[in-house]
């Protein structure tokens, strides 16, 4: 259990003991240079913001890229001449997008969205920001490693961004970079320098994830404030904790796959290559297996889906409970289902490989395992819905995005039941049905979670409020837009349209749905541009937003007990102890104890005699607020 | 068209900017303290929570009818019909789940919107409910799993002995096909034997290969089991025959296969669909480079008699290229040695000169 000793250590590690200089926590930066305060900062809050800004930058890039290829898909006849100033040689003489560049865009879009926006931008931001604040710690276990984590991500970003401007183009073999395509520069131009840079960038990225993850796990285990037992952790923390563990176990596998691929590319080894005749030449490689790469990739790739999703679900749990003014329904079931999903996520990877020629018996096994994972996911959805039931719901933008998340999670989740069923996946694999499925369940749901988090914790990050009305507009455009873009893709998928196609003009069976494709593209343009409402609101509010109050949403968790603009060390005085779980919303009789419709975690049970539940009363009678306290008192 | 899009985008940006401006003013007005917990927007948002989903569902139902006209025709293979039944059955189940859960979500969001006089009920858990909604999806999924697993094994099970064997080879960016010829025995291959003419790398060291023939299109007999032997020369590809509900990756260095039975001839499809231009097609569904979107292979399904006639009329590779007779790896090694000796001699000469 965490106790004050650990806290003391944490303070020393952080090196800025603000515990004793409260009162002037607003002007403490006089002894810190700009660089150590804002750039090479070891303050988890600053690092979180760095992740967030970088994530937003990448989201804009990834979103705009999707527009370029959506234009190509929706309006194949259209002249792309107007993009020549930006894309230069990637526009052909005839004013068309170069087919190989189309693939490069799709690849960069996928990589950016999955790794840079939804792994770093979402999990990096909120794990960093919330873990110390919500468990009552002054900072991460190692502020230095935490800083490194961001700068490795930054380095990775720089390399990936630079690769876009290569003469031969960035990596183009799709975000899953299957060899031999990704291993052989003669197979496509993006497999040359672009692929090398992709691999280097991802290697740095993985280091960043691991540094961050080790820190999150250590911090959650060791630095919880007194009374913050695991069964009193907010669900956000549970989510970040489990996510970090999944990442720690799965990313190294991608690292090894990338390393072996680097060997195949530059040292002439044959891990993934065999019997290849390309560009008029029979290569020497023999005995390798491209399918082995897929196993390694998806051993990360599937857990990765949950790495982006679980933090979003954690954020949603918190936001929905707060704004429904109700305890989250089934707190323990929520933890159980996250754990279940986490364990199962490691044994379902081959559902991406039903038609790779893998043994059909394996296909059967992986179908069974895959469909089991739908059960804890269903439990989570039902619990969210029940949390709304008989609530008193305040529609803040964060709340709306959270409700949107639940809807996207369900809508994208149900088609997972179809795709996880190998007999049907034969037909649907690598069609737009898959694109529809994962954009809803992973893309939209996680993106909505990220937005919910930004709207909800913005006041804690910047001491100001975002504009709510712009938030509503942003939500409705995004919610309606996401459905208009991704729902119709199911139809196109059922009609058999393959994904990663530059054009649908070469086949009779893909001649239809031109109207629908145009419709999707227009919807995508509107949706992407409506995100600038958010960007505007975000930047504007940092400087001009309404001043936040200390606890604007009436939340129970510890971060709202810090000053409006917490300094490094988070609490100027002592860290408040924790006496109860984080969901005491609308507890019966709480008014009699002098509280509104919520009782924060740091309020002792002894102060709330009227609203205590039977087991809490019993605990008090036994002499304390915590099991260990009781033990000590009994001795 | 380009201008239209561009215009549209510009109008949009303009509209958004306008909204921003207006709202910016509102912001400055509202900068004082909020007195009430919520304002009128709470009810507006609550109402939109059911209005938009309802419109969406109505639009989806209407459009589904339209869209269905563009779906693939009924499957033209025995297993494909099973796949389709399974798909539409499962789709019905998930649609039901989708509608019920989303309806509950948005209805509750609307119904329990903030009201000053209300207080949320403290309802942290209920074990019976939780057990119920663990077990219900578990049962539904079990049904789908067993149904799916049965279909899977019907598809992936034993290859019938009398299956007609055809080889499909993927390369950037085309499909090649090979038939075993009169002896019905497919000859071996080795990727090192590939050259401009023998672009499948057929190994002519064994007599099985002697009557093998290659074809620019795929001709198949109706109502006979077919076995596709699938491989790739350069990178991954994937054989996708949408009308037969068939897909299997083509992997360099690892042969794969898929067997199925076509049930309708091309002619039959043409008359059924009222489309004299209808063709079965094979596409590629594994990204393989620049021309991935254009790897088309025509498939013609014909009556047995016609198939026999066509088969007999094809001329074996060796007949057209007699010089390849006997060329196998041994031959290749000899040729290589010879070539390198020549090279050595040349360099030796060069040195002397
Ligand atoms: C309005 C926003 C977006 C639009 C219009 C969009 C559209 C698309 C489309 C049409 C494709 C398929 C292209 C093809 O196969 O040829 C695609 C691929 C992909 N998208 Fe998005 N997308 C959006 C946002 C996102 C988000 C938020 C994510 C985060 C998970 C995401 C992740 C991916 C991935 C992983 C791929 C696959 C890339 C590949 O095949 O290698 N997208 N996107
Ligand atoms: Cu997966
Ligand atoms: Cu391809």
């Amino acid at each position: 259990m965490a106790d004050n000793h650990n806290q003391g250590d944490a303070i020393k590690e952080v090196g800025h003991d603000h515990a004793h200089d409260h009162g002037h926590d607003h002007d403490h930066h006089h002894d810190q240079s700009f660089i150590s305060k804002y750039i090479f900062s070891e303050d988890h809050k600053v690092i979180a913001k760095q992740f967030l800004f970088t994530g937003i930058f990448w989201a804009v890039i990834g979103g705009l890229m999707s527009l370029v290829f959506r234009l190509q898909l929706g309006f194949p006849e259209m002249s792309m001449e107007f993009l020549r100033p930006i894309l230069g040689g990637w526009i052909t003489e005839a004013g068309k997008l170069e087919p190989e560049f189309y693939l490069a865009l799709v690849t960069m879009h996928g990589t950016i969205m999955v790794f840079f926006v939804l792994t770093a931008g979402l999990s990096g931001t909120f794990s960093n920001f919330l873990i110390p604040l919500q468990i009552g710690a002054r900072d991460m276990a190692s502020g230095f490693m935490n800083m490194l984590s961001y700068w490795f991500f930054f380095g990775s970003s720089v390399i990936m961004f630079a690769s876009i401007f290569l003469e031969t183009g960035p990596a183009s073999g799709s975000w899953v970079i299957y060899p031999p395509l990704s291993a052989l520069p003669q197979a496509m131009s993006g497999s040359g320098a672009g692929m090398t840079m992709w691999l280097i960038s991802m290697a740095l990225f993985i280091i960043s994830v691991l540094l961050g993850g080790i820190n999150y796990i250590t911090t959650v285990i060791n630095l919880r404030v007194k009374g913050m037992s695991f069964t009193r952790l907010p669900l956000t923390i549970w989510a970040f904790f489990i996510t970090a563990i999944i990442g720690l176990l799965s990313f190294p596998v991608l690292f090894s796959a990338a390393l072996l691929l680097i060997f195949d590319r530059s040292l002439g080894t044959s891990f993934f290559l065999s019997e290849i005749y390309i560009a008029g030449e029979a290569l020497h490689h023999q005995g390798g297996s491209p399918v082995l790469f897929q196993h390694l990739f998806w051993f990360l790739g599937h857990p990765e889906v949950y790495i982006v999703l679980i933090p979003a679900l954690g954020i949603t749990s918190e936001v929905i409970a707060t704004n429904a003014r109700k305890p989250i329904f089934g707190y323990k079931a929520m933890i159980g289902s996250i754990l279940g999903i986490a364990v199962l996520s490691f044994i379902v990877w081959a559902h991406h490989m039903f038609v790779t020629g893998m043994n059909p018996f394996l296909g059967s096994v992986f179908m069974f395992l895959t469909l089991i994972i739908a059960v804890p996911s269903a439990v989570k959805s039902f619990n969210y819905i029940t949390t709304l039931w008989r609530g008193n719901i305040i529609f803040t933008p964060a709340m709306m995005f959270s409700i949107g998340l639940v809807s996207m999670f369900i809508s994208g989740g149900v088609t997972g039941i179809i795709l996880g069923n190998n007999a049907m996946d034969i037909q649907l694999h690598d069609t737009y049905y898959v694109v529809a499925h994962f954009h809803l369940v992973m893309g939209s749901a996680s993106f909505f979670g990220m937005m919910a988090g930004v709207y909800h914790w913005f006041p804690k990050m910047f001491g100001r409020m975002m504009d709510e009305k712009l938030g509503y507009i942003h939500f409705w455009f995004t919610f309606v837009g996401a459905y208009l873009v991704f729902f119709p893709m199911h139809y196109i998928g059922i009609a058999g349209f393959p994904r990663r196609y530059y054009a649908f003009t070469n086949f009779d069976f893909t001649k239809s749905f031109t109207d629908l494709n145009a419709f999707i593209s227009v919807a995508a343009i509107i949706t992407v541009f409506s995100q600038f409402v958010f960007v505007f609101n975000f930047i504007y509010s940092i400087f001009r937003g309404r001043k936040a109050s200390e606890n604007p949403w009436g939340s129970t968790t510890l971060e709202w007990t810090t000053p409006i603009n917490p300094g490094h060390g988070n609490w100027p005085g002592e860290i408040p102890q924790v006496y109860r779980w984080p969901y005491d919303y609308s507890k019966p009789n709480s008014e009699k104890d002098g509280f509104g419709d919520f009782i924060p975690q740091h309020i002792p049970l002894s102060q709330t005699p009227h609203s205590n539940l039977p087991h809490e009363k019993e605990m008090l009678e036994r002499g304390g607020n915590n099991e260990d306290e009781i033990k000590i008192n009994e001795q | 068209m380009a201008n239209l899009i561009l215009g549209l985008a510009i109008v949009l940006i303009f509209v958004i900017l306008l909204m921003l401006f207006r709202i910016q003013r509102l912001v400055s007005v509202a900068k004082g303290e909020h007195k009430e917990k919520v304002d009128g927007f709470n009810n507006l948002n609550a109402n939109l929570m059911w209005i938009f989903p309802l419109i969406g569902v109505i639009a989806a139902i209407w459009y589904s009818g339209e869209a269905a006209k563009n779906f693939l025709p009924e499957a033209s293979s025995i297993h494909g019909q099973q796949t389709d039944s399974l798909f539409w059955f499962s789709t019905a189940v998930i649609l039901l789940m989708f509608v019920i859960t989303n309806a509950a979500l948005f209805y509750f969001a609307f119904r329990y919107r903030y009201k000053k006089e209300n207080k949320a009920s403290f309802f942290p858990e209920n074990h019976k409910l939780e057990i119920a909604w663990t077990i219900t999806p578990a049962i539904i999924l079990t049904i789908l799993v067993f149904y799916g697993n049965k279909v899977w094994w019907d598809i992936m099970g034993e290859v019938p002995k009398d299956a007609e064997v055809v080889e499909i080879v993927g390369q950037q960016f085309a499909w090649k096909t090979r038939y075993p010829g009169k002896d019905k025995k497919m000859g071996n291959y080795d990727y090192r034997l590939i050259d401009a003419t023998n672009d499948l790398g057929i190994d002519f060291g064994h007599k099985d290969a002697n009557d093998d023939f290659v074809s620019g299109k795929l001709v198949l007999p109706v109502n006979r089991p077919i076995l596709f032997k699938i491989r790739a020369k350069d990178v991954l590809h994937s054989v996708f025959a949408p009308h037969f509900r068939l897909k299997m990756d083509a992997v360099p260095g690892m042969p794969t296969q898929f067997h199925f039975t076509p049930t309708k001839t091309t002619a039959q499809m043409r008359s059924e669909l009222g489309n004299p231009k209808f063709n079965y097609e094979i596409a590629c569904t594994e990204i393989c480079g620049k021309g991935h979107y254009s790897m088309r292979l025509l498939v013609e399904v014909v009556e047995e008699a016609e198939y026999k006639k066509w088969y007999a009329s094809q001329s074996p590779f060796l007949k057209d290229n007699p010089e390849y007779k006997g060329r196998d790896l041994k031959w290749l090694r000899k040729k290589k040695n010879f070539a390198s000796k020549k090279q050595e001699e040349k360099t030796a000469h060069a040195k002397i000169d």
Side-chain angles (χ1 to χ4, degrees):
Chain A
M1 277 294 125
D3 58 21
N4 286 331
H5 289 292
N6 288 348
Q7 285 304 327
D9 293 345
I11 296 166
K12 270 180 228 129
E13 258 231 61
V14 168
H16 305 278
D17 191 350
H18 291 290
H20 305 294
D21 62 6
H22 45 103
H24 53 256
D25 62 306
H26 281 292
D27 54 354
H28 62 259
H29 47 251
H30 53 77
D31 56 340
Q32 278 184 352
S33 70
F34 177 83
I35 291 189
S36 70
K37 182 147 193 274
Y38 292 110
I39 301 185
F40 294 108
S41 171
E42 296 184 12
D43 182 346
H44 70 100
K45 299 186 292 300
V46 177
I47 295 171
K49 288 178 207 170
Q50 291 172 330
F51 270 107
L52 181 58
F53 288 130
T54 318
I56 290 176
F57 166 79
W58 276 121
V60 171
I61 304 277
L64 291 178
M65 282 180 168
S66 76
L67 290 193
V68 178
F69 60 75
R70 254 336 309 179
L71 280 181
Q72 164 65 28
L73 293 173
F75 306 97
E77 306 295 310
M78 175 177 163
S79 159
M80 298 278 186
E81 208 52 61
F82 70 100
L83 286 173
R84 191 181 295 281
I86 313 172
L87 298 182
W90 295 113
I91 305 292
T92 63
E93 303 269 291
K96 292 277 166 206
L97 210 59
E98 174 69 36
E100 229 164 279
F101 191 64
Y102 174 89
L103 294 177
L105 280 175
V106 171
T107 305
M108 283 295 113
H109 164 80
T111 307
I112 289 169
M113 289 297 191
V114 172
F115 293 114
F116 292 178
V117 178
L118 294 179
T119 304
L122 169 60
S123 169
T125 303
F126 291 102
S127 300
N128 263 307
F129 193 72
L130 292 179
I131 288 176
L133 281 173
Q134 287 197 328
I135 66 170
R138 299 218 179 263
D139 204 321
M140 286 288 178
S142 165
F144 180 70
M145 262 167 71
N146 209 22
M147 177 190 83
L148 280 186
S149 160
Y150 174 76
W151 287 104
F152 270 103
F153 168 49
F154 186 83
S156 150
S157 293
V158 169
I159 293 175
M160 192 65 82
F161 192 70
S163 82
I164 299 173
F165 300 98
L166 285 174
E167 181 77 40
T168 47
S172 320
S174 89
W175 81 286
V176 300
I177 56 155
Y178 285 173
L181 183 63
S182 61
L184 306 172
Q186 57 274 53
M188 81 193 302
S189 68
S191 297
M195 195 60 220
T196 306
M197 286 176 80
W198 193 97
L199 288 165
I200 296 171
S201 166
M202 282 314 294
L204 295 181
F205 185 83
I206 292 167
I207 295 171
S208 156
V209 171
L210 298 183
L211 285 173
I214 292 170
N215 233 332
Y216 307 153
I217 295 169
T218 320
T219 310
V220 172
I221 293 178
N222 292 314
L223 298 186
R224 281 165 293 125
V225 74
K226 192 168 180 203
M228 181 63 92
S229 61
F230 268 96
T231 48
R232 286 178 183 164
L233 281 181
L235 286 171
T236 31
I237 302 302
W238 266 106
F240 301 143
F241 180 58
I242 302 292
T243 303
I245 295 175
I246 301 178
L248 217 53
L249 293 176
S250 62
F251 267 106
V253 179
L254 178 66
F255 192 84
S256 59
L259 202 63
L260 298 185
L261 185 54
I262 291 174
F263 290 167
D264 274 6
R265 285 167 55 84
S266 17
L267 303 182
T269 56
S270 309
F271 291 104
F272 307 130
L273 306 178
S274 185
E275 304 186 18
I276 293 167
Y277 180 90
I278 194 165
E281 189 192 358
L283 306 185
H284 71 271
H285 301 281
Q286 271 182 331
S289 165
V291 177
L292 170 64
F293 179 87
Q294 301 182 24
H295 281 295
L296 295 176
F297 181 88
W298 287 112
F299 191 85
L300 158 90
H302 191 82
E304 171 65 18
V305 173
Y306 291 99
I307 290 173
V308 309
L309 197 56
I310 291 177
L313 292 173
I315 288 171
T316 294
S317 308
E318 205 58 24
V319 173
I320 286 193
T322 306
N323 290 294
R325 310 310 294 162
K326 267 188 73 182
I328 191 83
F329 181 77
Y331 174 74
K332 294 219 168 106
M334 289 304 234
I335 297 172
S337 53
I338 294 185
L339 285 171
I341 289 174
V343 172
L344 286 169
S345 75
F346 280 101
I347 46 175
V348 299
W349 77 88
H351 62 211
H352 299 272
M353 300 168 59
F354 287 139
V355 294
T356 51
M358 188 175 79
N359 187 325
F361 177 70
L362 265 186
S364 248
V365 173
F366 275 97
M367 165 177 68
F368 276 91
L369 294 169
T370 299
L371 294 191
I372 295 175
I373 219 170
V375 175
S377 310
V379 168
K380 285 195 90 71
S381 311
F382 288 131
N383 285 358
Y384 287 130
I385 294 171
T386 313
T387 306
L388 296 183
W389 182 72
R390 296 173 77 179
N392 205 17
I393 301 168
I394 301 168
F395 291 103
T396 63
M399 180 64 168
M400 294 160 80
F401 272 102
S402 296
I403 294 173
L405 176 149
V406 177
S407 176
M408 298 288 169
F409 182 57
I410 294 171
S411 308
V414 290
T415 50
I417 296 172
I418 301 246
L419 292 169
N421 208 319
N422 45 18
M424 289 179 273
D425 188 56
I426 293 174
Q427 173 73 4
L428 296 171
H429 178 70
D430 268 345
T431 65
Y432 266 79
Y433 198 86
V434 178
V435 179
H437 158 72
F438 76 74
H439 273 95
L440 286 175
V441 76
M442 163 167 88
S444 303
S446 307
F447 184 76
F448 276 47
M450 182 169 165
M451 285 300 123
V454 174
Y455 280 106
H456 194 77
W457 280 286
F458 189 90
K460 194 78 262 161
M461 288 182 174
F462 300 102
R464 291 176 185 271
M465 309 294 285
M466 285 182 80
D467 184 67
E468 305 231 310
K469 279 139 210 115
L470 284 181
Y472 304 148
I473 294 174
H474 175 218
F475 170 75
W476 286 116
F477 267 96
T478 311
F479 176 73
V480 174
Y483 266 116
L484 289 183
V485 172
F486 299 122
F487 193 82
M489 288 186 188
H490 292 107
Y491 298 115
I492 299 178
I494 294 172
F497 284 47
R499 67 194 274 212
R500 298 165 184 154
Y501 264 33
Y502 167 72
F504 295 118
T505 43
N506 286 291
F507 293 88
D508 295 342
F509 78 98
T510 57
K511 286 265 157 64
S512 53
F513 281 125
T514 48
D515 295 350
L516 192 59
N517 263 322
F519 174 84
I520 292 175
S521 296
V522 173
I525 293 170
I526 296 175
T527 313
V528 167
F529 276 102
S530 66
Q531 301 313 305
F532 287 103
V533 175
F534 166 79
V535 174
F536 168 80
N537 192 359
F538 183 78
I539 296 172
Y540 177 88
S541 303
I542 290 177
F543 300 105
R544 288 280 159 81
R546 186 158 47 82
K547 284 252 165 40
S549 56
E550 216 162 80
N551 189 354
W553 319 119
S555 290
T556 54
T557 38
L558 284 185
E559 75 271 29
W560 305 104
T561 62
T562 60
I564 292 174
N565 287 303
H568 196 178
N570 296 338
W571 284 268
E574 250 183 71
I575 302 174
Q577 269 197 43
V578 165
Y579 298 98
R580 57 182 74 235
W581 78 328
Y583 299 106
D584 271 347
Y585 290 104
S586 303
K587 208 171 180 186
N589 299 324
S590 59
E591 327 70 58
K592 286 193 196 146
D593 293 324
F595 289 93
D597 60 355
F598 70 105
I599 308 175
Q601 279 194 283
H602 65 284
I603 305 297
L605 292 177
S606 54
Q607 280 184 33
T608 56
H610 300 283
S611 61
N612 286 344
L613 299 173
H615 74 271
E616 289 165 334
K617 283 192 180 132
E618 189 209 351
M619 209 143 120
L620 263 187
E621 273 156 26
R622 280 167 57 209
N625 260 291
N626 297 305
E627 287 300 331
D628 21 344
E629 199 180 320
I630 293 171
K631 263 184 223 135
I632 292 166
N633 289 350
E634 273 170 357
Q635 276 162 9
Chain B
M1 204 55 186
N3 294 339
L4 186 86
I5 298 289
L6 210 64
L8 206 74
I10 290 169
V11 168
L12 246 157
I13 294 172
F14 186 70
V15 169
I16 289 171
L17 285 179
L18 206 74
M19 276 192 309
L20 290 182
F21 177 66
R22 237 187 73 76
I23 278 146
Q24 198 176 334
R25 291 182 47 134
L26 284 179
V27 173
S28 54
V29 172
K31 251 195 180 156
E33 273 296 300
H34 264 281
K35 295 262 154 44
E36 281 292 320
K37 224 171 159 180
V38 302
D39 52 23
F41 281 98
N42 210 60
N43 278 331
L44 176 67
N45 285 326
N47 277 297
L48 291 178
M49 283 277 163
W50 65 267
I51 293 175
F52 278 128
L54 191 68
I55 296 175
V57 167
I58 293 171
I61 291 173
W62 164 77
Y63 186 73
S64 297
E66 297 289 305
K69 292 174 200 153
N70 291 327
F71 287 167
L72 290 164
E74 190 190 307
S76 304
S77 64
I78 293 176
H79 82 266
Q81 285 155 10
Q82 273 180 294
T83 312
D84 283 3
S85 316
L86 173 63
F87 176 75
W88 291 114
F89 173 74
S90 307
T91 300
V93 173
I94 66 164
L95 274 179
L96 202 68
M97 287 151 83
F98 164 79
V99 169
I100 291 174
T101 44
N102 267 302
L105 175 72
F106 289 113
Y107 174 68
F108 291 165
F110 162 72
R111 169 74 177 72
Y112 298 106
R113 66 194 179 280
Y114 178 84
K115 292 197 186 112
K116 207 169 173 186
E117 65 280 9
N118 283 2
K119 189 174 179 187
S121 59
F122 189 81
F123 183 50
E125 59 188 352
N126 180 322
H127 290 298
K128 272 192 203 134
L129 267 182
E130 280 169 56
I131 289 170
W133 56 53
T134 309
I135 290 180
T136 317
I139 292 173
I140 296 174
L141 286 167
T142 309
I143 296 170
L144 291 177
V145 161
F146 279 99
Y147 186 0
N149 197 48
K150 187 189 166 300
V151 176
W152 173 252
W153 281 108
D154 285 350
I155 298 172
M156 290 291 163
E158 290 281 296
V159 182
K161 289 232 165 50
D162 59 338
E164 196 62 22
V165 181
V166 188
E167 187 180 54
I168 303 188
V169 184
Q171 70 174 55
Q172 286 182 327
F173 297 101
W175 299 104
K176 308 272 158 173
T177 65
R178 172 163 68 126
Y179 287 77
K182 281 197 196 71
D183 64 354
K184 296 282 172 185
K185 283 187 190 140
M186 194 82 82
N188 261 335
Y189 64 86
D190 191 292
Y191 80 107
R192 284 164 292 190
L193 290 169
I194 297 174
D195 61 31
T197 315
N198 180 13
D199 65 355
L200 294 182
I202 306 170
D203 181 340
F204 291 102
H206 193 279
K207 66 175 183 348
D208 281 355
N210 287 353
D211 57 353
D212 289 6
F213 65 86
V214 295
S215 163
K217 68 177 176 188
L218 205 54
V219 179
L220 302 173
V222 73
N223 292 328
R224 281 264 306 278
I226 312 282
L227 176 65
F228 281 168
K229 293 235 169 220
I230 301 167
R231 61 188 169 100
K233 278 162 64 175
D234 38 32
V235 298
L236 295 171
H237 301 272
S238 187
V239 175
F240 178 39
H243 302 96
F244 304 114
R245 315 293 190 257
L246 178 160
K247 185 177 291 135
M248 184 52 72
D249 284 1
V251 185
M254 188 189 97
T256 58
Q257 61 180 40
F258 201 108
H259 68 90
F260 72 111
T261 308
T263 52
K264 287 178 187 172
T265 62
T266 302
Q268 210 175 337
M269 287 298 279
R270 285 180 179 169
S271 71
E272 263 179 33
L273 297 173
N275 174 8
K277 288 203 193 116
F278 173 85
N279 273 313
Y280 289 122
E281 296 172 302
I282 281 178
C284 178
T285 45
E286 188 63 77
I287 181 172
C288 55
K290 193 183 175 103
H292 171 50
Y293 68 106
S294 60
M295 282 178 64
R296 181 170 188 246
L297 177 66
L298 270 185
V299 184
E300 210 179 314
V301 179
V302 296
E303 297 292 349
E304 181 77 28
E306 201 182 332
Y307 176 69
K308 288 226 165 83
K309 214 168 92 196
W310 173 82
Y311 203 94
S313 73
Q314 298 298 304
S315 91
F317 181 90
L318 268 193
K319 198 172 153 206
D320 301 338
N321 307 285
E323 71 275 17
Y324 277 81
K325 191 156 173 57
R327 286 191 184 180
D328 58 4
L329 280 181
K330 258 188 250 146
W331 165 83
L332 186 73
R333 229 163 277 140
K334 251 187 252 153
K335 190 181 108 175
K336 281 236 170 91
N337 283 341
F338 185 67
S340 59
K341 257 199 208 115
K342 250 195 169 163
Q343 188 64 35
E344 268 166 35
E345 272 166 31
K346 243 192 214 160
T347 37
H349 277 300
K351 267 184 198 144
I352 292 164
D353 294 346

